[in-house]
Amino acid sequence: MANPVYDCAIAGAGASGLFAAARILAARPSMRVVIIDPNSRCGKKLMLTGAGRCNFTNSNLDLASYNTDDPAKLAHMLSQFGASDTIDFFENVLGVLTVNKGELYYPATLRAGTVVDALRYFLEEHGCEMLFETKADKILPDNGIYKVITGDGREISASNVVIATGGITYPKTGSTGDVKHLTEGFIDNRDLTDFKCSLVLLIPDDPSLKSLAGVRIPATVSLGTEDRKKVACGELQITKDGGLSGICIFDLSGEIVRLVDAGRTPVIHVNFCNAEPGECCLMAAVRAKMFPERSISAALSGMVQRTVLEYVLKKIGYKCNLPAKDIFYNDLCRIADALTAFPFTITGYGKPADAQVSQGGVNLSALDGHLQIPPHPGIYVIGEAVNVDGICGGYNLQWAWTSAALCADGIIGDIRS
Ligand SMILES: Cc1cc2nc3c(=O)[nH]c(=O)nc-3n(C[C@H](O)[C@H](O)[C@H](O)COP(=O)(O)OP(=O)(O)OC[C@H]3O[C@@H](n4cnc5c(N)ncnc54)[C@H](O)[C@@H]3O)c2cc1C
């Protein structure tokens, strides 16, 4: 019997590939769709998202939260399929009840497995074929359709091929940057931005930070000068090797990685008090007066974690056991300045294995409004394989859903203007 010609072959059973298949089959149940993935099950990375809870979107999809080569096109795409469309699809097509914590949305079960299961059940019920432990190795044009050649030499013919192979981070989940070779012959090298890490830990030029390993502290971190300053808030974590991690670090890491790769040594300023310097100085003065007999680090320990306070005091040349009563107001202001804008020079960053997202991939500007490669109708690139990445908070998965939905709409012929 001759091999079937699928309506759509999707390389990648991650967030974007699964969603594209579900969107196609929800609208056109008669379409023949096959998904190919080297893993033995679908949604391996999706299972890890949101610390296992899957923060799947954000109701405030501001463009400033994304990095891409084509912000105007991204804004248009997010306006066509945004957070409310995702929630609607989750609730009314996949049957996943959702909850929100402020702007952040999760499945009501707070389990990423619920989302993976819902997609899998839906695809199985709609006859989607899944070829696991199989890699897409090459895509070749073949008389108006395409042939996907798999790693084990099989040929899969399809009218449309969707490349949903992700980026380069967490390679143990299967994403190893394959979009580069899969688009060979379809995309000019100039339309590919090299993959780099984002949402990744940063390595400061201070080995002594190891002494704070395990510390978790709410902080505000800034990069750049007043006229062009980026600020991020959230938990800051010190890793066992003295790296800086946590949401506030991740959210600035994309830009810092680009600067470090360009040979620069960016400096970030950490505000450990989440207060203005003047306010912090006043709080310190009040405590020094309340507890004059205590050491300065004990007197101020109700304001900032003591280990962090002692690290900062030592770095700016104060003895931690100095009695609070012997500290002048000017010294308290100096301490407050350091606690509210402590500088760290960044010299490196973590490995792809530890980064949550990739920046780079096929430039958005090289794709049409359905994520199709214009000179090659029927070839689509979606998800993290495209040069779009976001900060923490559901932005990356939203891009996976948006790009998948618009691609699916292109395939089912629901071309929007
Ligand atoms: C620990 C962690 C937590 C995260 N938490 C969140 C969160 O809470 N919210 C959020 O918005 N984002 C989060 N992200 C980011 C989010 O998971 C990704 O942006 C998203 O999964 C990208 O979807 P994708 O489909 O493009 O790629 P992936 O999910 O990486 O899927 C790509 C798939 O393609 C397959 N593949 C690779 N090469 C081939 C090939 N040659 N042939 C066939 N198949 C191939 C892979 O096996 C994989 O299954 C997190 C990421 C990590 C690592």
Side-chain angles (χ1 to χ4, degrees):
M1 204 169 74
N3 282 338
V5 175
Y6 291 93
D7 295 300
C8 181
I10 301 176
S16 61
L18 295 170
F19 199 82
R23 175 102 171 161
I24 291 170
L25 291 168
R28 299 271 191 280
S30 59
M31 277 194 162
R32 289 201 70 174
V33 178
V34 60
I35 308 185
I36 306 155
D37 197 291
N39 294 326
S40 55
R41 57 192 162 88
C42 59
K44 210 168 168 189
K45 186 176 280 178
L46 189 51
M47 287 295 282
L48 305 178
T49 57
R53 296 182 310 164
C54 186
N55 169 206
F56 72 88
T57 191
N58 190 303
S59 56
N60 179 20
L61 293 178
D62 59 325
L63 210 54
S65 302
Y66 284 100
N67 165 50
T68 177
D69 61 289
D70 196 341
K73 190 180 275 177
L74 175 62
H76 182 61
M77 289 179 161
L78 290 169
S79 75
Q80 287 188 300
F81 192 92
S84 57
D85 302 294
T86 303
I87 295 162
D88 181 56
F89 195 88
F90 270 47
E91 297 250 357
N92 298 318
V93 179
L94 300 178
V96 174
L97 211 59
T98 65
V99 287
N100 63 307
K101 202 174 160 201
E103 293 168 345
L104 279 57
Y105 278 74
Y106 300 86
T109 56
L110 295 179
R111 283 186 62 251
T114 300
V115 176
V116 176
D117 283 348
L119 283 160
R120 185 170 55 84
Y121 294 145
F122 186 88
L123 294 177
E124 283 170 3
E125 283 155 11
H126 284 76
C128 179
E129 289 175 49
M130 302 225 193
L131 288 182
F132 289 120
E133 296 173 353
T134 307
K135 225 173 169 25
D137 202 30
K138 215 170 177 34
I139 303 167
L140 299 172
D142 182 27
N143 283 326
I145 59 167
Y146 295 97
K147 251 193 315 206
V148 179
I149 315 293
T150 65
D152 54 7
R154 273 182 281 175
E155 293 185 359
I156 295 166
S157 297
S159 315
N160 299 284
V161 178
V162 180
I163 302 169
T165 49
I168 53 161
T169 62
Y170 267 64
K172 65 179 179 192
T173 63
S175 44
T176 48
D178 287 8
V179 66
K180 193 166 178 193
H181 74 256
L182 288 175
T183 50
E184 246 169 43
F186 301 115
I187 279 278
D188 193 292
N189 249 346
R190 283 169 304 189
D191 290 324
L192 269 171
T193 299
D194 281 345
F195 277 125
K196 294 180 193 297
C197 299
S198 191
L199 307 194
V200 65
L201 71 84
L202 300 176
I203 301 169
D205 181 20
D206 179 11
S208 73
L209 198 61
K210 255 190 206 165
S211 63
L212 295 188
V215 160
R216 291 167 169 252
I217 184 169
T220 306
V221 181
S222 59
L223 169 71
T225 47
E226 274 317 320
D227 54 326
R228 205 187 147 270
K229 199 173 185 175
K230 277 200 163 177
V231 179
C233 311
E235 190 178 71
L236 181 138
Q237 300 169 10
I238 314 289
T239 67
K240 66 176 179 8
D241 299 319
L244 294 163
S245 186
I247 286 180
C248 58
I249 294 296
F250 279 4
D251 284 351
L252 296 179
S253 63
E255 179 157 353
I256 293 172
V257 165
R258 292 194 292 278
L259 291 168
V260 170
D261 280 1
R264 310 260 298 274
T265 45
V267 176
I268 57 169
H269 288 91
V270 177
N271 185 335
F272 291 110
C273 284
N274 289 316
E276 292 297 318
E279 199 186 339
C280 180
C281 183
L282 206 64
M283 292 191 290
V286 167
R287 277 149 190 85
K289 208 168 166 195
M290 277 166 83
F291 310 113
E293 301 304 326
R294 288 190 192 171
S295 69
I296 184 65
S297 64
L300 306 190
S301 64
M303 278 174 57
V304 185
Q305 275 183 40
R306 189 159 169 176
T307 44
V308 173
L309 182 64
E310 291 184 348
Y311 170 84
V312 171
L313 285 171
K314 276 186 213 153
K315 286 284 163 190
I316 59 171
Y318 286 92
K319 288 204 171 90
C320 300
N321 58 3
L322 211 63
K325 63 182 178 209
D326 294 345
I327 302 255
F328 295 112
Y329 186 74
N330 278 353
D331 293 308
L332 289 173
C333 290
R334 237 193 104 206
I335 294 168
D337 284 347
L339 285 173
T340 52
F342 194 82
F344 288 104
T345 301
I346 306 300
T347 53
Y349 53 86
K351 297 187 179 66
D354 307 314
Q356 289 201 354
V357 172
S358 311
Q359 44 181 320
V362 173
N363 286 342
L364 188 56
S365 56
L367 302 171
D368 73 9
H370 291 282
L371 288 303
Q372 188 172 217
I373 303 175
H376 304 281
I379 302 272
Y380 298 78
V381 189
I382 61 173
E384 225 176 284
V386 182
N387 187 11
V388 174
D389 59 281
I391 61 171
C392 300
Y395 298 97
N396 290 295
L397 281 176
Q398 182 55 54
W399 169 244
W401 319 132
T402 294
S403 56
L406 297 179
C407 153
D409 291 353
I411 290 171
I412 61 187
D414 173 20
I415 310 289
R416 300 180 202 186
S417 56

